[in-house]
Amino acid sequence: MAETDQAPPPSDQLAALNLTDTVEKHAFSDRVLIRSIVGRPDGGAGLAGQRVRAGGWVKTGREQGKGTFAFLELNDGSSPANLQVIVDAGLAVLSKLVATGTCVMVDGILKVPPEGTRQKIELRVEKVVSLGEVDPAKYPIPKTKLTLEFLRDHLHLRARTNTIAAIARIRNALAFATHSFFQEHNFLYVHTPILTTSDCEGAGEMFQVTTLISESEKLEKELIKNPPPSEVDIEAARQVVSERGEAVKQLKAAKASKSEITASVAELNKAKENLSKLEERSKLKPGIPKKDGKIDYTQDFFARQAFLTVSGQLQVETYACAVSNVYTFGPTFRAEHSHTSRHLAEFWMVEPEIAFADLQDDMNCAEAYVKYMCNWLLDKCLDDMQFMAKSYDKGCIDRLRMVASIPFVRISYTEAVELLEEAVKGGKKFENEVKWGIDLASEHERYLTEVKFQKPVIVYNYPKGIKAFYMRLNDDLKTVAAMDVLVPKVGELIGGSQREERYEVIRERILEVGLPLEPYEWYLDLRRYGTVKHCGFGLGFERMILFATGIENIRDVIPFPRYPGRADL
Amino acid sequence: MAETDQAPPPSDQLAALNLTDTVEKHAFSDRVLIRSIVGRPDGGAGLAGQRVRAGGWVKTGREQGKGTFAFLELNDGSSPANLQVIVDAGLAVLSKLVATGTCVMVDGILKVPPEGTRQKIELRVEKVVSLGEVDPAKYPIPKTKLTLEFLRDHLHLRARTNTIAAIARIRNALAFATHSFFQEHNFLYVHTPILTTSDCEGAGEMFQVTTLISESEKLEKELIKNPPPSEVDIEAARQVVSERGEAVKQLKAAKASKSEITASVAELNKAKENLSKLEERSKLKPGIPKKDGKIDYTQDFFARQAFLTVSGQLQVETYACAVSNVYTFGPTFRAEHSHTSRHLAEFWMVEPEIAFADLQDDMNCAEAYVKYMCNWLLDKCLDDMQFMAKSYDKGCIDRLRMVASIPFVRISYTEAVELLEEAVKGGKKFENEVKWGIDLASEHERYLTEVKFQKPVIVYNYPKGIKAFYMRLNDDLKTVAAMDVLVPKVGELIGGSQREERYEVIRERILEVGLPLEPYEWYLDLRRYGTVKHCGFGLGFERMILFATGIENIRDVIPFPRYPGRADL
């Protein structure tokens, strides 16, 4: 055993989590989480006298008492609350500690601060264990008030701000709430594919995934280094073949010895092989391979054109029609050139799919899921929600409470249009005309949920002409069993439908909307064999975060936003 | 309100989940889950006499008693167990019910079957509520023994087989176990980007994402429909401009009226506008846009080259260095042309990242996580594990128990090489030579974990030459603080490291391995500003499923496998 290798502690020490009496140590670090101190109902006061190690980044710091000590507000991301830390000048060069963004790990004793201060507990440092300095003159996100827009140019550092960290915790909570909800209700999480060859609703908005460009660039470089044979080279090789052939012929005619003929034939074969290699290489052409004037996708990685998924629904239906209750939660993509505050090129979707269930069940599930998420945030993220209420949207907590407790209004599309027409008669101005058959515009949806009802509204039974082929045709033959959930602040949060389970009807619908049958044969098979009534919906995960937090721009609620012209990191 | 719209029940009925005395109704369907009957400790016997609605797909069916009734084994995916269903001839055409794959929903009474049968309960049908037929002559996956390889050609139906459904439940359980583990330990789930412009470790193995091809195809079509102007057209337009210019000049020289001159200038401007439009259009060229002989990526969707991520690690580090404990769980991609049973082009990875933590903490976290998943499966998926043990790998349950309970062996790379060299001296043959400095091959890893120790082994402190630049350089300057977790059956399950947090050292390492600094400036910023000791690892999620189930081919443990030449659906 090499002496430089330090033997690790035996792993059975692992189980012992080294709990102190009251502060829980981090399981995989020798520090405690700041939340486990200041997040207590007593603000940490009950922990006075305990020795702890804490680590985090300085939010604000200042030297005091003529440079004899420093106050640091330390945050480790475990909650919005900071730990107040006091360091004496003898322990470190104080000026190196106080810059915003500085990382410190310290050992110390928790003490109750003098009366009249805001904190219930503070940490008196005994030792500065480690220090990651910041030069405040160069730090890209110094303490001054930074706009969310400015922070988008510093994606790699923006999680160090209070806002983006709070959003990260809320996003995390909503993600785990999503899994918890569906797991509690016996849904299986299914990973639908990101790469798809089902170019489902027209490839216009899809990103293409390919290795043809990099392969052709590789070939181009190779051909520059090692040029393909010229016609002259090939002619010369052909000449050699014909000479060798002639030689064989002559030896045979002259009845030469077997060994002589064999040797000559071997020479001929070698020449032929060389020729065919040269001919093969001469066919190599720089550029993307083409066949009959079109790109030859048989040479692409998947031997056909491939795209990034726009939805996992069709694929997850194959699981719903086998194991009943399933959901996806993953990234989806749109190559739309939209520069709005509501669209991303890469965003996350939650898509449950339920067998033996109809549109009523679908609405029930959607409503229960949204309420569950609202309750989850009120339960587990109230401190972050309070921060959002204080900083961005004072109504956001009330909105969560309202949605969690009030039954959603349910109206048919026809009723919705009637209500909008009444509003127009009453003097309400919309940019988009209201009449039966239109796709409701965002302004219409916002009017219904924010003005007319002031609560969540589910609109169902939409005209078939504005909805996808897979939605179940209603008996009126004019509408389909679709539903959208509209909520204040964002409008449409969920879109779903009962799926058309009748083979003849869906086949007809595919043709009616002008799609080819062939790519949907697998989807039709689900209706051909053991078909089942089923339904599902999709929730735009970032929309849910916008709804919860009141943040205005979707680019601020996903860690690494992708939109036209931007995909940093 | 239109008469065709059926008013839905008020949503406050939602809360009442309609529990019967003992069988829990499905929350969003009017049936019960079959597991809630046959999954009880008493096999369902205690439910005798209850009326229930059940739905599922027929696994096997047969007509009995000269066609007077039929037995159906019904499965709804909620567990591997079937519900035995008995349908009398008067209720349906029995021959339409018995084909494998048929979907039925039935109402009936639960009864204790005659003694001597395997079932503890059966459902006596009173009404066949719905029926999705199967023509057994055409059904692509009839009841005969089907190989996993055959099923890969029928991705859309294979979840209806016992094996793929069991794998789906195990995969689901491992996914939720993953979230539960990290949430319990205060890690935040962070969605790292799928689309990335950080072409980190050489683009060779990365899929490119682009809209250039579809845009150029769109343009090509447009140019065929509406050809660009010829030189003659442009010359003619130029001629018009010069004539109009001349006209203006003459009018001015002739001191014509203001209105005459204004009109003439307007004509001139119109002609100029037309010319510039034509000139603009004449520049449109079919094909992918180029500049200086290279593809002009400024015209691509993100205004630069973009790829599918191979790992979220570097990006998630930006969150670890802000909120301390984070993890990713998402799809990652490799455009490798490998046709092995261990590689996919699209696969899921779990990547935690811990601040204020070193290699020891990393190993502790990895070991605790793997143990947690094993215990989870033993706890919650024992029926599915028993199916896998019976059908594929009789040792799989014992393997889970062993890994869950035994401390992992921890040896340095140097020790590992010494052990392998000893084995070679003892007569063990390896295909790959063993000596200090090599990257351990799969055969070496399998030997250590399966033969030498017969339990999980963590190998740490690898030679820096075979590891990535971001791994922390040890004091010996020869090794880095990397670690791999090896387990029986699959070999490497986890790879991780402490990250290099020292600015000067990592900068040097980037240059040493021949990478440019510029694309890593953001990554270097994490070390420039408030740097922190941190570590992390990646677990190949499909590897974990292979390990758990004993399934041999990775294409069978992901719902929609993607590999060279194949990306069905």
Side-chain angles (χ1 to χ4, degrees):
Chain A
M1 184 167 172
E3 290 196 333
T4 49
D5 293 319
Q6 295 164 30
S11 68
D12 51 359
Q13 287 182 10
L14 218 186
L17 289 183
N18 288 337
L19 304 184
T20 67
D21 283 349
T22 34
V23 194
E24 193 184 333
K25 202 185 87 46
H26 189 291
F28 312 115
S29 168
D30 50 8
R31 71 194 170 100
V32 301
L33 292 176
I34 288 176
R35 186 182 58 193
S36 65
I37 301 171
V38 295
R40 291 161 45 113
D42 67 355
L47 298 174
Q50 296 221 19
R51 277 208 157 70
V52 298
R53 169 169 292 185
W57 288 264
V58 173
K59 287 283 161 184
T60 62
R62 60 184 196 278
E63 294 183 57
Q64 292 282 95
K66 294 180 180 162
T68 56
F69 65 97
F71 278 118
L72 310 176
E73 291 286 329
L74 208 61
N75 189 288
D76 65 359
S78 59
S79 83
N82 302 326
L83 176 66
Q84 177 155 297
V85 170
I86 297 159
V87 192
D88 286 328
L91 298 171
V93 180
L94 297 184
S95 61
K96 289 190 174 181
L97 296 182
V98 294
T100 296
T102 302
C103 182
V104 294
M105 186 152 74
V106 292
D107 289 338
I109 299 184
L110 293 170
K111 293 202 169 164
V112 175
E115 271 189 58
T117 56
R118 202 165 42 85
Q119 286 78 18
K120 303 276 183 257
I121 197 79
E122 61 187 23
L123 185 67
R124 279 270 171 183
V125 172
E126 297 180 315
K127 186 183 172 192
V128 175
V129 182
S130 70
L131 173 60
E133 291 178 45
V134 159
D135 178 348
K138 292 182 183 163
Y139 194 44
I141 53 163
K143 206 180 106 191
T144 51
K145 188 84 184 156
L146 305 166
T147 66
L148 292 173
E149 200 175 353
F150 172 85
L151 288 174
R152 269 174 240 145
D153 291 333
H154 299 85
L155 292 187
H156 63 303
L157 295 171
R158 71 175 182 166
R160 297 185 184 188
T161 63
N162 294 335
T163 299
I164 300 294
I167 292 169
R169 285 186 294 269
I170 289 169
R171 187 178 173 105
N172 168 73
L174 288 172
F176 193 53
T178 294
H179 284 297
S180 297
F181 174 82
F182 288 109
Q183 295 289 329
E184 278 174 26
H185 288 100
N186 300 298
F187 286 65
L188 296 181
Y189 180 31
V190 173
H191 288 137
T192 45
I194 309 306
L195 294 166
T196 177
T197 50
S198 294
D199 160 14
C200 276
E201 291 159 61
E205 297 176 2
M206 293 175 97
F207 285 104
Q208 187 171 352
V209 177
T210 183
T211 53
L212 287 180
I213 294 176
S214 58
E215 298 279 344
S216 88
E217 282 174 347
K218 219 184 288 170
L219 176 63
E220 242 160 88
K221 273 185 206 155
E222 210 272 324
L223 289 178
I224 288 168
K225 242 173 75 179
N226 189 5
S230 65
E231 247 326 297
V232 175
D233 299 331
I234 292 172
E235 196 40 58
R238 225 174 254 139
Q239 192 59 38
V240 173
V241 170
S242 107
E243 282 166 19
R244 299 262 160 99
E246 198 51 44
V248 171
K249 238 189 245 167
Q250 286 177 2
L251 284 173
K252 279 183 178 168
K255 305 218 160 136
S257 74
K258 208 171 181 180
S259 69
E260 264 184 306
I261 292 176
T262 309
S264 178
V265 167
E267 288 286 299
L268 170 61
N269 287 341
K270 225 189 279 174
K272 279 182 177 166
E273 204 179 299
N274 183 48
L275 174 61
S276 89
K277 260 190 211 157
L278 289 181
E279 283 174 336
E280 204 50 51
R281 251 192 91 72
S282 76
K283 282 184 211 149
L284 293 178
K285 293 222 161 42
I288 293 172
K290 297 218 171 185
K291 204 173 174 180
D292 308 331
K294 284 183 178 163
I295 293 173
D296 180 10
Y297 285 111
T298 64
Q299 296 193 43
D300 208 346
F301 191 89
F302 296 110
R304 52 201 284 202
Q305 230 180 334
F307 304 94
L308 293 181
T309 183
V310 296
S311 156
Q313 180 206 315
L314 301 197
Q315 286 95 340
V316 91
E317 281 188 51
T318 69
Y319 270 70
C321 295
V323 292
S324 306
N325 306 320
V326 293
Y327 68 107
T328 74
F329 183 15
T332 50
F333 305 84
R334 296 283 150 83
E336 266 174 84
H337 282 275
S338 45
H339 289 266
T340 78
S341 62
R342 286 286 184 272
H343 292 90
L344 289 168
E346 172 178 333
F347 56 101
W348 284 64
M349 280 239 282
V350 179
E351 298 182 284
E353 194 74 27
I354 324 173
F356 304 102
D358 60 18
L359 190 66
Q360 296 297 335
D361 299 311
D362 209 31
M363 293 193 260
N364 291 345
C365 184
E367 180 168 347
Y369 170 42
V370 172
K371 284 181 147 65
Y372 187 98
M373 285 193 284
C374 294
N375 279 318
W376 188 282
L377 287 184
L378 292 167
D379 248 29
K380 299 182 204 278
C381 279
L382 198 55
D383 48 3
D384 285 310
M385 286 305 305
Q386 280 160 347
F387 172 82
M388 299 312 302
K390 197 184 70 187
S391 312
Y392 292 95
D393 179 2
K394 65 182 191 319
C396 65
I397 295 178
D398 291 337
R399 197 163 60 234
L400 289 182
R401 290 212 176 99
M402 182 268 285
V403 172
S405 58
I406 288 182
F408 292 9
V409 173
R410 300 186 182 189
I411 56 171
S412 70
Y413 168 88
T414 301
E415 289 172 280
V417 169
E418 285 167 5
L419 291 171
L420 293 168
E421 284 171 339
E422 270 171 37
V424 170
K425 275 182 208 148
K428 170 78 191 161
K429 297 252 179 284
F430 292 117
E431 284 188 21
N432 302 278
E433 195 200 357
V434 174
K435 64 173 184 192
W436 202 97
I438 61 156
D439 204 355
L440 298 185
S442 184
E443 58 174 342
H444 304 139
E445 296 173 338
R446 299 284 288 259
Y447 170 80
L448 290 171
T449 183
E450 291 173 355
V451 180
K452 176 72 194 170
F453 293 105
Q454 299 177 36
K455 52 180 134 167
V457 178
I458 308 184
V459 179
Y460 60 90
N461 287 352
Y462 281 80
K464 69 173 182 174
I466 57 170
K467 289 289 183 181
F469 73 86
Y470 50 72
M471 299 186 174
R472 194 178 195 280
L473 192 62
N474 285 325
D475 292 346
D476 62 14
L477 304 182
K478 290 190 310 189
T479 62
V480 289
M483 63 101 182
D484 283 355
V485 179
L486 317 178
V487 294
K489 190 83 198 175
V490 300
E492 185 189 329
L493 177 64
I494 283 176
S497 70
Q498 185 171 343
R499 317 310 187 187
E500 184 55 75
E501 87 281 13
R502 295 164 295 184
Y503 173 76
E504 290 299 343
V505 180
I506 197 165
R507 190 176 177 283
E508 206 46 53
R509 285 284 286 149
I510 291 175
L511 295 172
E512 192 177 314
V513 300
L515 289 170
L517 286 176
E518 195 281 325
Y520 297 98
E521 285 300 337
W522 64 267
Y523 192 67
L524 289 169
D525 268 1
L526 301 179
R527 280 75 182 167
R528 261 186 207 110
Y529 307 116
T531 191
V532 65
K533 174 174 80 173
H534 64 290
C535 62
F537 62 80
L539 169 131
F541 191 62
E542 284 74 22
R543 290 264 175 116
M544 181 65 205
I545 307 173
L546 291 176
F547 163 78
T549 60
I551 291 286
E552 293 292 340
N553 196 313
I554 199 166
R555 298 172 186 181
D556 300 322
V557 298
I558 189 167
F560 302 92
R562 272 80 183 94
Y563 44 94
R566 289 299 282 273
D568 291 1
L569 275 61
Chain B
M1 183 168 174
E3 290 199 331
T4 50
D5 291 318
Q6 295 162 29
S11 68
D12 51 358
Q13 286 181 10
L14 217 187
L17 288 184
N18 289 336
L19 304 184
T20 67
D21 283 348
T22 35
V23 195
E24 193 185 333
K25 202 184 86 46
H26 189 291
F28 312 116
S29 168
D30 49 9
R31 72 195 170 100
V32 300
L33 291 176
I34 288 175
R35 186 181 60 191
S36 67
I37 302 171
V38 294
R40 291 161 46 113
D42 67 356
L47 298 174
Q50 296 221 17
R51 275 209 159 71
V52 298
R53 169 170 291 185
W57 288 265
V58 173
K59 287 284 163 183
T60 61
R62 60 183 196 279
E63 293 184 56
Q64 291 282 94
K66 295 180 179 164
T68 55
F69 64 97
F71 276 119
L72 309 176
E73 290 287 329
L74 207 62
N75 189 288
D76 65 0
S78 60
S79 83
N82 302 326
L83 176 65
Q84 177 156 296
V85 170
I86 297 160
V87 192
D88 287 328
L91 298 171
V93 180
L94 297 185
S95 61
K96 289 190 173 180
L97 296 182
V98 293
T100 297
T102 303
C103 183
V104 294
M105 187 153 73
V106 292
D107 288 340
I109 300 184
L110 292 171
K111 293 205 169 160
V112 174
E115 269 189 58
T117 56
R118 204 164 42 83
Q119 286 78 18
K120 301 278 184 257
I121 199 78
E122 61 187 24
L123 185 67
R124 280 270 172 184
V125 172
E126 296 179 316
K127 186 182 172 194
V128 176
V129 181
S130 71
L131 173 60
E133 290 178 47
V134 159
D135 178 348
K138 291 183 184 164
Y139 195 44
I141 55 162
K143 205 181 107 193
T144 51
K145 187 85 185 156
L146 305 165
T147 66
L148 291 174
E149 201 176 351
F150 172 86
L151 289 173
R152 268 174 240 145
D153 292 334
H154 300 86
L155 292 187
H156 64 303
L157 295 172
R158 69 175 183 166
R160 298 185 183 188
T161 64
N162 294 334
T163 298
I164 300 296
I167 292 169
R169 286 185 294 269
I170 290 168
R171 187 178 172 104
N172 168 72
L174 288 172
F176 193 54
T178 294
H179 285 296
S180 298
F181 175 82
F182 288 109
Q183 295 290 329
E184 278 174 25
H185 288 100
N186 300 297
F187 285 65
L188 296 180
Y189 180 31
V190 172
H191 288 137
T192 46
I194 308 305
L195 294 167
T196 176
T197 50
S198 294
D199 160 14
C200 276
E201 291 159 60
E205 297 176 2
M206 293 176 96
F207 285 104
Q208 187 171 351
V209 177
T210 183
T211 53
L212 287 180
I213 294 176
S214 59
E215 297 279 345
S216 87
E217 282 173 347
K218 217 183 289 169
L219 176 62
E220 242 160 89
K221 273 186 206 153
E222 210 271 324
L223 288 178
I224 287 168
K225 243 174 74 181
N226 189 6
S230 64
E231 248 327 295
V232 174
D233 298 333
I234 293 173
E235 197 40 57
R238 228 175 252 137
Q239 193 57 40
V240 174
V241 170
S242 104
E243 284 166 19
R244 299 262 161 97
E246 199 51 45
V248 172
K249 240 188 247 168
Q250 287 177 3
L251 285 172
K252 280 182 177 169
K255 306 215 160 143
S257 76
K258 209 170 180 182
S259 70
E260 262 184 305
I261 292 175
T262 309
S264 178
V265 167
E267 286 286 300
L268 170 61
N269 287 341
K270 225 189 278 174
K272 279 182 179 168
E273 204 179 301
N274 182 48
L275 173 61
S276 89
K277 260 191 210 157
L278 289 180
E279 282 174 336
E280 205 51 51
R281 247 191 95 72
S282 76
K283 282 185 210 148
L284 293 179
K285 293 221 161 41
I288 293 172
K290 298 218 170 188
K291 202 173 178 181
D292 308 330
K294 283 183 179 164
I295 293 173
D296 180 10
Y297 285 111
T298 65
Q299 297 193 42
D300 208 347
F301 190 89
F302 296 110
R304 53 201 284 202
Q305 231 180 334
F307 304 93
L308 293 181
T309 184
V310 296
S311 157
Q313 180 206 316
L314 301 197
Q315 286 94 343
V316 91
E317 280 187 54
T318 68
Y319 270 70
C321 295
V323 292
S324 305
N325 306 319
V326 293
Y327 68 107
T328 73
F329 183 14
T332 51
F333 305 85
R334 296 284 150 81
E336 266 174 83
H337 282 275
S338 46
H339 289 267
T340 77
S341 62
R342 286 284 184 275
H343 292 90
L344 289 167
E346 172 177 331
F347 56 101
W348 284 63
M349 282 239 280
V350 179
E351 298 182 285
E353 195 74 26
I354 324 174
F356 305 102
D358 61 17
L359 191 65
Q360 298 296 334
D361 299 312
D362 208 31
M363 292 194 260
N364 291 345
C365 183
E367 180 167 347
Y369 170 42
V370 172
K371 285 180 148 64
Y372 187 96
M373 284 193 283
C374 293
N375 279 320
W376 188 282
L377 287 184
L378 292 167
D379 249 29
K380 300 181 202 277
C381 280
L382 198 55
D383 49 2
D384 285 310
M385 286 306 305
Q386 280 160 347
F387 172 81
M388 299 313 300
K390 198 184 69 187
S391 313
Y392 292 94
D393 179 0
K394 66 183 189 323
C396 64
I397 294 177
D398 291 337
R399 198 164 58 234
L400 289 182
R401 290 211 175 99
M402 183 269 286
V403 173
S405 58
I406 289 182
F408 292 9
V409 173
R410 300 186 182 189
I411 56 173
S412 71
Y413 169 88
T414 301
E415 288 172 280
V417 168
E418 284 167 6
L419 290 171
L420 293 168
E421 283 171 340
E422 269 170 39
V424 169
K425 274 183 207 148
K428 171 77 191 163
K429 297 253 179 283
F430 291 118
E431 284 188 23
N432 302 277
E433 195 198 358
V434 174
K435 64 174 184 191
W436 202 97
I438 60 155
D439 204 356
L440 298 185
S442 184
E443 56 174 344
H444 304 138
E445 297 173 337
R446 300 284 287 258
Y447 170 81
L448 291 170
T449 183
E450 290 174 356
V451 180
K452 177 70 192 170
F453 292 106
Q454 300 178 35
K455 53 180 132 169
V457 178
I458 308 185
V459 180
Y460 61 89
N461 287 353
Y462 282 78
K464 70 171 181 175
I466 57 171
K467 290 288 184 181
F469 72 86
Y470 50 72
M471 300 187 175
R472 193 179 196 278
L473 192 62
N474 285 324
D475 292 346
D476 62 13
L477 304 182
K478 290 190 310 188
T479 62
V480 290
M483 63 100 182
D484 283 355
V485 179
L486 317 178
V487 294
K489 191 85 198 175
V490 300
E492 186 189 327
L493 176 64
I494 282 176
S497 70
Q498 186 172 341
R499 318 308 188 188
E500 184 55 75
E501 87 281 14
R502 295 165 295 184
Y503 173 75
E504 291 299 342
V505 181
I506 197 165
R507 189 175 178 284
E508 206 47 54
R509 287 282 289 148
I510 292 174
L511 295 172
E512 193 178 312
V513 300
L515 289 169
L517 285 175
E518 195 280 323
Y520 296 99
E521 285 300 338
W522 64 266
Y523 193 66
L524 289 169
D525 268 1
L526 301 179
R527 280 75 183 166
R528 259 186 209 112
Y529 307 115
T531 191
V532 65
K533 175 175 79 175
H534 64 291
C535 62
F537 62 81
L539 169 131
F541 191 61
E542 284 75 23
R543 291 261 175 119
M544 182 65 204
I545 307 173
L546 291 175
F547 163 78
T549 59
I551 291 287
E552 293 292 340
N553 197 314
I554 199 165
R555 297 171 186 181
D556 302 322
V557 299
I558 189 166
F560 302 91
R562 272 78 183 95
Y563 45 94
R566 289 299 284 273
D568 293 0
L569 273 64

